[in-house]
Amino acid sequence: MSPFFFGQFRNGEDERRMAFTLQIGEKAPDFRLKATDGKHYGLEDFKDAKALVIWFTCNHCPFVKGSDEVTRKTVETYTPRGVAFVAINANSATSYPEDSYENMIARMEEHKFPWVYLHDATQEVALAYGALRTPHFYVFDADRRLIYTGRAVDSPKDPANITVNDLENALEDYLAGRPVAVPLTNPIGCNVKWEGKDKKWMPPEACDLVPVTKQA
C-alpha cells in the first residue's frame, strides 16, 4: 500500500481512505477534456490502443522542456506499435500564466508534438490520478489498468545525463507480454501548480512513490 492517503473516494468505492496517487492495478479514471485542437477527448477515444500513456505536464517547467524531445522519440517509436499518448496540463494559470490554454495552443503550434495535449482547467483529473509533478507518467494496459507510474527518464532536465528510460522499459515489458519489472519510480520535475495555493505547495498526503534511499 502506498504511503499517501487522500480524503476523496474514487468511482463510488467504499469509505476506505484511498491512496493519493493511483495505485498499480487500478483502472484509469475517465475524463472529458479540451485539447489544443479544440476537440474534447476521453478514454473512449483511445479504446483501440494496446496501451495508453497519460502524463501530466505543462508549458513552463524546465524538466518538461528538457525532456520533451526525448518524449517525442518515445511517442514516435511506440505509436506504430499500438500505444496511444495523451498529455494533460493541469497547472494553474494563475500561478504561471505561461501554462494557460492559449499558451498550450501556441506551444503545440511551435513544436508540433505528436501527442494529444489536454487542458485540465478544474484540476479534477489531476486529483483523480494523484499527479505529483510535471512530468508524471502513467501507463495503462489494454484493460486500462495501471501498470507503471513515475518518471520517464532519470534526468529529464538534462537529457545528456540520462542513463535509464523507465517509461520505455515498462512499455517493452508490457508489449513483450512480461510483467513490468519496475512498476514504480518517483516522478522528477516541478510540483503541480494547484489553484489558490503557493507555487511550491503539494497536498499534505503526497510523498514519494518509492523511498528515495531505494530509488535507482
Side-chain angles (χ1 to χ4, degrees), residues 44-95:
E44 179 69 13
D45 294 291
F46 310 99
K47 63 182 180 182
D48 295 329
K50 293 178 184 177
L52 176 63
V53 178
I54 294 173
W55 73 102
F56 289 84
T57 184
C58 65
N59 300 324
H60 88 274
C61 175
F63 296 88
V64 170
K65 290 181 174 180
S67 59
D68 268 338
E69 290 306 312
V70 177
T71 305
R72 185 197 298 273
K73 291 179 181 177
T74 298
V75 174
E76 291 174 346
T77 298
Y78 289 92
T79 297
R81 298 175 64 181
V83 181
F85 292 83
V86 179
I88 300 175
N89 173 25
N91 271 11
S92 166
T94 304
S95 297

Side-chain angles (χ1 to χ4, degrees), residues 148-174:
Y148 174 81
T149 187
R151 68 193 187 187
V153 295
D154 60 344
S155 181
K157 193 174 181 179
D158 186 358
N161 293 327
I162 292 173
T163 64
V164 62
N165 191 316
D166 291 288
L167 174 60
E168 291 193 359
N169 288 343
L171 289 171
E172 284 295 331
D173 282 342
Y174 173 68

Side-chain angles (χ1 to χ4, degrees), residues 87-105:
I88 300 175
N89 173 25
N91 271 11
S92 166
T94 304
S95 297
Y96 272 91
E98 287 179 67
D99 289 335
S100 69
Y101 177 70
E102 292 74 20
N103 284 321
M104 290 171 58
I105 294 172

